[in-house]
Amino acid sequence: MRLLSTYAPLPKWKHLVRALFPMGEKIIEKPWYFGNELSGRLSRSAWSLALIALWRKKSTFKSEVTIWIPSFFCNASLAPLRAVGVNFIFYPVSEAMEPDSEECTILAVNSPPDIFLLVHYFGRPNRYNFAVKFAHDSGAWLVEDAAHALIPVDNIGKLGDFILYSPHKHLPIPDGAILVIRPTGPSQLTIGPGSIFDNPLTWPGQLKEVQRRMVDYAKINRFMSLIWITKRGLQKMGIRSQGSKALFAESLEVNSNNIPSTIEPPAQSLLGMRLLAMLSSEIDKIALGRIRNHEIWADFFSSRSELNNKIFNSDRGPKEKWTPYLAAYRGDSIAITKAYYFFQKHGIPVLTWPDLPPEVKSNKNSNSIAWKLRHTYIYLPIHQSFNFSKLLLLNIN
């Protein structure tokens, strides 16, 4: 039995039709920022991070800035940053996916950060205590990577200098990332007229040079929204690719290329903008659907005796407010690998994450926790288009 579900949510026909026509003015970013903040849109949060690095260079008059990235991070998201030209420090994380405060303090002696990235993995709020103080004491800009968070909740989006949101990861849109700048973060940034951040409408243009430098290893595809709408239309009609079978363990080659061969231009597409404008009013409904689907996965695993005590949900508790991005499950290497190939066999888009940066893979001893996290988790979709109707009929054997 194959479910043939999709990795990403599918748009409704009515939204696709309405997106073909001009829309009136609307503050698209409203669900993601507060009144005293500055916000703007790009196509991907990877561009947002590159733009922040450019601003840091400009504000410090440095030719190269040092950015601290958690070792448990996706290398593909660093492509624009690599084109900017930065000094990477991949800091160690704990098994709770939080910064290892002791190791970070030691690293800062010789390589203090200009930018410190704190990730809210899979929508769960990461604890701030160390990151806020560390950024303040180091004079670093604190960037909250909330790409896995649907909207601000609890402390997400309330303590950093910059917040990265990626609504395209949660909503059926081809592209769309929200960058928020906060004047009340640890660095007390100035965002008024004449600041280095300028008008958000100029942000894509500020990335032209970075875009040019990326030509050597990633082509800019200006037709990705057209490809997206064609693919989603076929999927909605039931025409779906079987997809390639990925191995559970990523390549051990340090220099293996997991940077995407194509990437969108920095500016959000017109299609993405129109769909985001329509769907931003449905955020609460989408959040409830994701929470419900997360619970369905929990029921599936709890009803399988062969999985009990071998694979467990280390994700969202029933009383927590945040919206999960994926259903995250962890287990020993044998059980988690078995489950991974079982879901692949039945057409369920199971994921592993991330494709670790080569700098992390080349030093597994110092990044042992990141390596362990990468190989003991699987992630399952909980988006509103996922078909659960046949799920409970599946048996793992």
Side-chain angles (χ1 to χ4, degrees), residues 252-307:
L252 297 178
E253 294 182 29
V254 171
N255 295 320
S256 60
N257 181 14
N258 51 26
I259 293 177
S261 58
T262 59
I263 190 170
E264 297 94 330
Q268 186 183 18
S269 67
L270 183 61
L271 176 63
M273 181 180 65
R274 289 176 176 175
L275 286 172
L276 182 57
M278 284 185 279
L279 293 167
S280 61
S281 61
E282 300 182 14
I283 292 294
D284 291 342
K285 180 180 178 181
I286 291 170
L288 289 174
R290 284 180 169 272
I291 292 170
R292 180 195 65 237
N293 292 343
H294 187 272
E295 293 171 351
I296 292 175
W297 275 121
D299 290 341
F300 172 80
F301 276 87
S302 65
S303 66
R304 297 300 188 274
S305 59
E306 64 272 33
L307 294 178

Side-chain angles (χ1 to χ4, degrees), residues 156-172:
I156 292 179
K158 297 178 181 177
L159 294 172
D161 295 307
F162 301 86
I163 321 296
L164 312 180
Y165 296 104
S166 292
H168 73 89
K169 293 181 180 292
H170 306 266
L171 309 177

Side-chain angles (χ1 to χ4, degrees), residues 290 314 389:
R290 284 180 169 272
S314 58
S389 61

